[in-house]
Amino acid sequence: MKAASAIVIGAGIGGLATAAHLAQRGLHVTVIEKNPRPGGRCDYFERDGHQFNTGPTLLIMPHIYETEFAALGTSLRERLDLLRVDPTYHVIFDDGSQLSLTSDMKQMYAQLEAIEPNSFNGYLRYLEEGCRHYNVGIERLAKHDFRTAFDFFSPRNLPLLFQLNPLAGHYSHMSAFFGNPRLKSAFTFQDAYMGLSPFEAPATFSMMPYAELAHGVWYPRGGMTQVVQALVDIAKEAGVDFEFEANVQRIEIVDNRARGILLEDGRRLTADIVIANADLPYVYQSLLPDHAEAEKLAHKRYSCSTISFFWGVDKPYPQLPPHALFLADDYRENFEAIDRLSLADNPSLYIHTPSRIDPDSAPTGEDTLVAIVPVGHLDDMHEQDWRCIRDQARESVFKRLKLLGITDLKKHIKFEVDYTPLSWRKRYNLLKGATHGLSHTLTQLAYLRPHNRHARYHNLYFVGASTHPGTGVPTALIGAHHVADRVMDDLRS
């Protein structure tokens, strides 16, 4: 009997993992990617000896990676050389004072009590709640493949309203643990990983700081692109074929079935199964004859975007740690500006110095720097001057670095590459340039998030940030596992 065939559109994390799962289960799989290399948003480039990861810069939730790599028949630790980063972040406030987030409880006690007396007890209670949210949330929401409404709106899920505290806002809920606004911001900024404001995020997301401090923040030697390469290797070992620099013009639909794809060069590729790893709103808008659903998706809430600067620097800056987070005292205004699709006057921002962990990421005696400034996504109704906003963001980075005594960076930048929301849209087909796809508001989570299989075309599947379970590399791996299981169940039925 001839093996079933599958086409995967997009070689992001979700697409690669889905392709590997299906090939290991006997399908003939071809991955079609528009860019010259795999990875999607987990991208990479090198210039003059400087190595840059343009997407995720750290590995969190290692237990999920370990479980999902094991499901692919391999070991995470055999595929990747993981380096633990502790302190996970150095948080720098507007007056130059700092808080190092570390798993060392003695250090945390001393730092927290210096900021707010008796706050360490609140910190322990916050971690305890985060532990519960992590364990229940991952097992009951992220890892659960909600195929029907009853799977989600089931009496057995009613306790989740109390176990996960989804109806409380994350930032407002912080008053139960801390009084100091700086501590509230230091333990909610992780919501930005999902492109979400902590003033909108459910308190459930306390799972994020817990996971970082309890399970660690890690850096794969060579950067997050090594996760991509490991998945490519696993997929190729299973027999997956890859074609790069191939643009898909549309998914061919005949008699309510996906029959394959039409490429921009005129070629038609047929398959029994089609999996779209391209950003879901883009798929509906550009690849499918489903204008009503495209319109519905266009009116959903989208995540923020970022302006990212990639700098090759001709001298080292030892005062920069691997992960430096500059948090503005006017924390709320930062997120309100993003909601206005703009940039705050004094934005919070993040600077990654990979050469502090992995010396090979920069030439000897030099540094590789990545600065990320969250901004609003593209505005469909009003023109935005991204050149001006980009320049404002760059000056904000230089201003913040002065808090660390770095005043001469401009003179030592050998080259700059920058990404704006326009870049994210062009490079990765992200609608509105929203770097995390659809936002993770309460009404766009779990079963309420777009599903992994098309409602009418039952051999067309979706995996990636804007589908269940959501954005991020760990969730992409979980989503890929969901999709592969669903494909196999459908083929057997």
Side-chain angles (χ1 to χ4, degrees):
M1 181 177 175
K2 183 182 177 183
S5 59
I7 289 173
V8 178
I9 303 169
I13 295 291
L16 293 171
T18 303
H21 275 297
L22 293 177
Q24 288 181 351
R25 301 182 200 192
L27 275 68
H28 181 267
V29 184
T30 302
V31 176
I32 304 296
E33 168 58 48
K34 72 180 281 285
N35 288 320
R37 56 189 172 273
R41 277 165 277 190
C42 196
D43 209 347
Y44 166 89
F45 73 91
E46 184 172 348
R47 181 167 167 183
D48 297 344
H50 296 269
Q51 300 172 5
F52 298 93
N53 285 269
T54 61
T57 59
L58 43 81
L59 188 152
I60 59 173
M61 301 184 179
H63 297 340
I64 293 177
Y65 284 83
E66 288 167 353
T67 299
E68 296 305 323
F69 270 66
L72 289 166
T74 189
S75 165
L76 174 69
R77 304 287 171 160
E78 289 177 3
R79 297 279 181 171
L80 298 173
D81 180 10
L82 295 181
L83 308 172
R84 178 125 190 206
V85 183
D86 195 354
T88 56
Y89 303 93
H90 288 75
V91 179
I92 301 109
F93 300 107
D94 281 348
D95 61 0
S97 62
Q98 297 190 27
L99 172 64
S100 297
L101 301 184
T102 173
S103 59
D104 186 323
M105 287 298 181
K106 288 185 178 179
Q107 286 191 37
M108 287 302 294
Y109 176 84
Q111 292 182 96
L112 293 175
E113 291 297 310
I115 295 173
E116 179 186 342
N118 301 316
S119 60
F120 185 71
N121 179 60
Y123 173 68
L124 294 179
R125 289 187 291 107
Y126 184 59
L127 290 184
E128 182 181 7
E129 180 186 83
C131 177
R132 182 177 72 251
H133 288 174
Y134 177 86
N135 291 327
V136 175
I138 295 297
E139 291 300 321
R140 299 287 299 279
L141 294 180
K143 288 188 176 181
H144 195 95
D145 183 8
F146 298 104
R147 298 187 182 182
T148 69
F150 185 75
D151 285 342
F152 184 65
F153 299 105
S154 165
R156 68 184 294 269
N157 285 336
L158 283 176
L160 297 181
L161 289 173
F162 307 97
Q163 294 169 338
L164 294 175
N165 207 8
L167 301 181
H170 194 182
Y171 188 86
S172 61
H173 182 58
M174 294 302 291
S175 296
F177 308 101
F178 306 108
N180 187 286
R182 288 182 171 178
L183 295 183
K184 293 178 183 180
S185 63
F187 294 108
T188 58
F189 73 84
Q190 293 90 344
D191 295 342
Y193 290 170
M194 292 160 285
L196 192 60
S197 163
F199 298 95
E200 288 186 286
T204 310
F205 288 141
S206 64
M207 69 169 69
M208 301 296 291
Y210 161 77
E212 291 180 342
L213 291 160
H215 304 159
V217 166
W218 303 80
Y219 183 86
R221 191 181 300 276
M224 287 296 289
T225 188
Q226 296 305 311
V227 177
V228 174
Q229 190 56 54
L231 291 171
V232 169
D233 291 344
I234 295 166
K236 286 183 174 179
E237 290 162 12
V240 175
D241 295 322
F242 287 86
E243 185 170 342
F244 296 101
E245 297 184 279
N247 284 293
V248 176
Q249 183 171 314
R250 71 170 177 263
I251 298 170
E252 303 263 60
I253 304 295
V254 181
D255 297 330
N256 278 338
R257 301 279 292 177
R259 301 298 181 184
I261 59 174
L262 173 66
L263 297 176
E264 285 188 355
D265 62 12
R267 286 181 295 145
R268 280 184 163 84
L269 305 180
T270 61
D272 302 304
I273 302 293
V274 176
I275 300 106
N277 181 222
D279 192 46
L280 185 71
Y282 170 81
V283 173
Y284 274 100
Q285 185 182 75
S286 301
L287 304 184
L288 284 173
D290 202 334
H291 303 299
E293 187 63 25
E295 187 70 15
K296 188 191 302 182
L297 283 171
H299 286 89
K300 286 186 176 289
R301 292 290 304 277
Y302 282 75
S303 73
C304 68
S305 188
T306 67
I307 295 176
S308 299
F309 300 99
F310 307 97
W311 289 320
V313 181
D314 66 10
K315 63 174 280 190
Y317 288 92
Q319 57 270 63
L320 276 174
H323 303 292
L325 189 72
F326 295 83
L327 289 181
D329 285 340
D330 199 348
Y331 192 57
R332 184 184 295 272
E333 166 56 21
N334 266 243
F335 290 98
E336 289 178 349
I338 290 171
D339 286 343
R340 296 193 300 269
L341 306 185
S342 182
L343 177 66
D345 292 336
N346 182 36
S348 297
L349 54 91
Y350 162 74
I351 298 178
H352 174 45
T353 312
S355 38
R356 210 60 70 243
I357 320 165
D358 184 1
D360 291 341
S361 64
T364 302
E366 300 185 4
D367 252 343
T368 293
L369 304 182
V370 179
I372 299 176
V373 185
V375 295
H377 59 64
L378 297 174
D379 189 342
D380 296 331
M381 305 299 294
H382 304 95
E383 186 175 347
Q384 295 154 295
D385 186 344
W386 285 110
R387 179 175 295 181
C388 178
I389 298 171
R390 178 202 62 194
D391 292 347
Q392 179 188 345
R394 184 191 295 109
E395 289 304 316
S396 295
V397 176
F398 295 145
K399 175 184 174 183
R400 290 309 188 97
L401 287 172
K402 291 178 181 178
L403 294 172
L404 298 180
I406 298 173
T407 58
D408 62 347
L409 180 61
K410 285 185 184 180
K411 296 188 295 185
H412 293 281
I413 294 176
K414 297 159 54 181
F415 63 85
E416 173 184 292
V417 175
D418 63 71
Y419 287 9
T420 70
L422 296 171
S423 313
W424 297 113
R425 182 176 65 181
K426 180 179 179 179
R427 289 174 182 271
Y428 308 110
N429 289 333
L430 301 178
L431 198 65
K432 303 179 188 286
T435 49
H436 301 81
L438 292 178
S439 185
H440 292 72
T441 56
L442 193 59
T443 56
Q444 294 180 178
L445 287 175
Y447 182 76
L448 303 177
R449 200 164 184 80
H451 301 167
N452 298 113
R453 190 181 74 170
H454 196 283
R456 294 197 309 279
Y457 318 140
H458 287 175
N459 68 330
L460 173 59
Y461 303 84
F462 308 110
V463 63
S466 292
T467 62
H468 177 68
T471 193
V473 177
T475 44
L477 294 172
I478 293 172
H481 202 157
H482 287 336
V483 169
D485 287 346
R486 185 71 181 270
V487 168
M488 299 311 296
D489 287 348
D490 289 347
L491 286 173
R492 285 189 288 264
S493 64

